[in-house]
Amino acid sequence: MTFYLSQIKQQQHLNALVHVFDDEALQRADQLDEQRLSEKKIGKLHGIVITIKDVIAYQLHPVSAASNILKGFHSIYNSTVVERLLAADAIIIGTNNCDEFAMGSSNENSSYGAVKNLLDESRVPGGSSGGSAVAVQANLCMVSLGSDTGGSVRQPADFCGVVGMKPSYGRISRHGLIAYGSSFDQIGVLANNVEDIALVLSVIAGADDFDSTVSSLPVPDYAIAIQQVETAKPVLGYFKQTLWHEGLDEEIRTTHLHFISQLKKDGYQVKELDFDLIDYIVPAYYVLTTAEASSNLSRYDGVRYGTQSTPIKEELTEFYSANRSDGFGKEVQRRIMLGTFVLSAGYYDAYFTKAQQVRSKLYNKTKLVFNEVDVILMPVSPSTAFKIGEKTNNPIEMYLADIYTVYANLVGIPAISIPLFQHSNGLPFGLQMMTKHFDEVSLLRLSHQWMKSYQAV
Ligand code: GLN
């Protein structure tokens, strides 16, 4: 524990953590030691040091979604994931910085300020779970939890050279997760290796009375399952439009193509698939998530939660408007307005209904794809970590960079980013893999295997 606390102190300038529960963590470590010695009973995560993104509720601890509107707010209950982590003897050492309400791809939209990438402090760590990725990258904890609505676990993992996994929609309870786009949001796990992710997932996944969208499918012991060797090699596939997309960095493209030839040499069957919907996925994602966000964020009015703008306005509409204008950052305001617009009577069919149609087409397409292949391979991001400030004035460019991650959320399948590659600019980048709904076992097993056989090819 003292190791992590001293790392946290040393790397404070990275701004990865927004609250550190040092005394509490030390006390809990002592308590766990005692319990181990006296009761001879240890939980699955006994002594595992974990940080959680600032969108996950931990009873009597601050949670703010990195927003001024929730400054000073303390959760009155535990999210289901926290409840399960604690019951398994984990130690929660602090909370992670992130983009405000998980909206962003660079962790620059945070009321706590930007997070720095340990590998090059002038660069972003990715987002929105940038603090979670850096916490793992800089050894501030063993495992961290993030949330992934459109790539927020996988893309920061990719930028920081760690493993990041988003399970199927409905695998992990969202009870106590501050909502962004409820039909997309999933809690995800970041770690330095696949085993740790498998272990934590086994503890936090599974049915929950507080969230009816969680599947009641039994939760396998992922940590054991990944050790078992496949009897047959899975059939792999990639969408040609993803690798030949004009926005993709040339070296990332060639590395993926080389990797695919290597896989073929090693006896894998790799199919090239067609994905003509590629140009629709980012627009559909932003229409639907902003629509959901505009509704989810309507509860922050300065009355029930959060801060009030001073001097307090007498007139009610002005009062709400002042609280929300002062409390929300620029990007969040942009998304609330966009979402309200696409839901407005005159534009509903042109935007929201259309985007829903794209989503259901994608869903059908995905079913067909998984009749042909077991695993889809894809880059995670079109570039390696960019400079802090490089894209802040160009939201469209920032949104378009989500091209490879939003698909898994639109259709709800599990996806992972594993740090297999190194760019000539010195930065890491990952390989993304996806499997069909609730096939986390195959996804984790192959990732585990490939981390051993192909890392830094
Ligand atoms: N970058 C995407 C967005 O800004 C994804 C965010 C997320 O997954 N929370 O919406």
Side-chain angles (χ1 to χ4, degrees):
M1 182 56 58
T2 43
F3 167 78
Y4 290 105
L5 288 172
S6 85
Q7 279 293 108
I8 289 173
K9 230 182 227 135
Q10 252 176 52
Q11 304 288 10
Q12 213 167 355
H13 64 286
L14 298 174
N15 204 17
L17 302 188
V18 291
H19 293 284
V20 182
F21 313 130
D22 32 12
D23 290 342
E24 201 185 302
L26 283 168
Q27 250 176 36
R28 183 156 164 87
D30 286 345
Q31 221 175 49
L32 288 170
D33 280 342
E34 257 171 55
Q35 181 189 315
R36 187 178 62 247
L37 297 172
S38 62
E39 295 173 30
K40 309 267 180 258
K41 170 180 114 276
I42 57 168
K44 256 189 167 172
L45 301 180
H46 188 93
I48 303 269
V49 178
I50 297 190
T51 56
I52 56 175
K53 184 174 177 178
D54 191 31
V55 288
I56 297 175
Y58 183 8
Q59 194 172 33
L60 305 180
H61 291 74
V63 61
S64 75
S67 180
N68 279 327
I69 208 152
L70 279 173
K71 204 122 273 168
F73 179 74
H74 284 63
S75 176
I76 53 169
Y77 66 91
N78 273 336
S79 53
T80 298
V81 286
V82 162
E83 201 64 55
R84 292 183 183 175
L85 290 176
L86 296 176
D89 292 352
I91 303 172
I92 299 175
I93 197 173
T95 54
N96 303 115
N97 200 344
C98 58
D99 282 301
E100 186 178 2
F101 284 98
M103 297 174 185
S105 309
S106 64
N107 214 134
E108 293 168 290
N109 308 328
S110 164
S111 67
Y112 295 104
V115 176
K116 293 176 179 157
N117 191 322
L118 175 74
L119 293 168
D120 176 347
E121 293 180 13
S122 67
R123 291 178 190 271
V124 302
S128 63
S129 313
S132 306
V134 174
V136 169
Q137 182 195 38
N139 275 321
L140 313 183
C141 60
M142 300 175 194
V143 175
S144 67
L145 295 189
S147 65
D148 192 311
T149 304
S152 277
V153 163
R154 290 159 284 150
Q155 184 255 20
D158 175 79
F159 280 13
C160 293
V162 304
V163 187
M165 192 229 191
K166 174 203 94 74
S168 308
Y169 183 80
R171 184 73 293 194
I172 299 177
S173 169
R174 290 178 294 110
H175 174 64
L177 168 70
I178 293 182
Y180 161 15
S182 307
S183 75
F184 294 77
D185 299 340
Q186 246 328 264
I187 287 171
V189 191
L190 298 103
N192 278 309
N193 58 65
V194 178
E195 290 101 315
D196 288 355
I197 292 188
L199 186 63
V200 170
L201 185 64
S202 305
V203 169
I204 60 177
D208 178 21
D209 289 343
F210 293 109
D211 178 0
S212 61
T213 63
V214 185
S215 164
S216 55
L217 279 174
V219 179
D221 188 325
Y222 296 106
I224 291 179
I226 61 168
Q227 306 295 344
Q228 291 151 1
V229 187
E230 296 274 3
T231 41
K233 279 193 156 72
V235 178
L236 314 172
Y238 68 93
F239 296 124
K240 68 168 181 276
Q241 286 87 344
T242 56
L243 284 187
W244 294 106
H245 200 272
E246 54 184 15
L248 179 60
D249 173 272
E250 195 49 42
E251 200 175 318
I252 298 184
R253 179 188 352 265
T254 50
T255 306
H256 276 81
L257 291 169
H258 277 133
F259 184 63
I260 288 168
S261 345
Q262 181 65 47
L263 290 170
K264 287 182 182 162
K265 273 192 212 137
D266 294 345
Y268 285 97
Q269 189 188 352
V270 190
K271 295 188 180 175
E272 184 176 84
L273 306 161
D274 204 42
F275 192 39
D276 49 4
L277 290 166
I278 190 159
D279 290 330
Y280 297 94
I281 56 176
V282 171
Y285 168 82
Y286 276 95
V287 168
L288 296 172
T289 52
T290 54
E292 292 188 21
S294 71
S295 157
N296 275 327
L297 271 58
S298 63
R299 73 192 71 174
Y300 305 105
D301 53 13
V303 178
R304 287 162 294 180
Y305 305 98
T307 47
Q308 294 180 348
S309 168
T310 44
I312 292 182
K313 300 273 183 302
E314 291 292 319
E315 201 272 325
L316 190 63
T317 311
E318 278 178 21
F319 168 75
Y320 286 147
S321 157
N323 293 345
R324 286 167 67 84
S325 302
D326 285 358
F328 289 132
K330 207 167 114 192
E331 181 60 24
V332 173
Q333 292 190 25
R334 175 168 23 239
R335 296 198 190 196
I336 293 173
M337 285 190 282
L338 251 172
T340 310
F341 173 76
V342 299
L343 288 174
S344 60
Y347 295 97
Y348 189 92
D349 282 339
Y351 293 100
F352 190 73
T353 308
K354 266 258 148 51
Q356 292 278 42
Q357 286 164 347
V358 172
R359 193 175 197 183
S360 70
K361 264 185 185 288
L362 282 170
Y363 199 83
N364 296 336
K365 159 96 190 159
T366 307
K367 271 199 183 143
L368 297 177
V369 166
F370 284 117
N371 287 338
E372 279 199 59
V373 303
D374 302 308
V375 182
I376 302 172
L377 308 177
M378 217 185 268
V380 186
S381 177
S383 72
T384 51
F386 45 88
K387 293 265 184 198
I388 293 175
E390 191 180 321
K391 292 192 184 176
T392 31
N393 292 326
N394 194 341
I396 301 284
E397 197 187 327
M398 192 83 100
Y399 297 169
L400 287 174
D402 293 336
I403 183 161
Y404 300 124
T405 46
V406 296
Y407 168 62
N409 305 79
L410 277 158
V411 298
I413 55 175
I416 194 167
S417 168
I418 54 172
L420 291 192
F421 310 120
Q422 180 90 21
H423 198 280
S424 61
N425 65 14
L427 294 168
F429 61 100
L431 171 75
Q432 183 175 203
M433 295 198 273
M434 301 169 202
T435 52
K436 57 176 176 289
H437 289 99
F438 298 103
D439 193 7
E440 278 80 7
V441 167
S442 303
L443 187 68
L444 290 167
R445 186 182 287 155
L446 198 63
S447 304
H448 179 50
Q449 211 176 308
W450 285 7
M451 284 281 282
K452 284 191 283 184
S453 39
Y454 295 120
Q455 202 168 19
V457 281

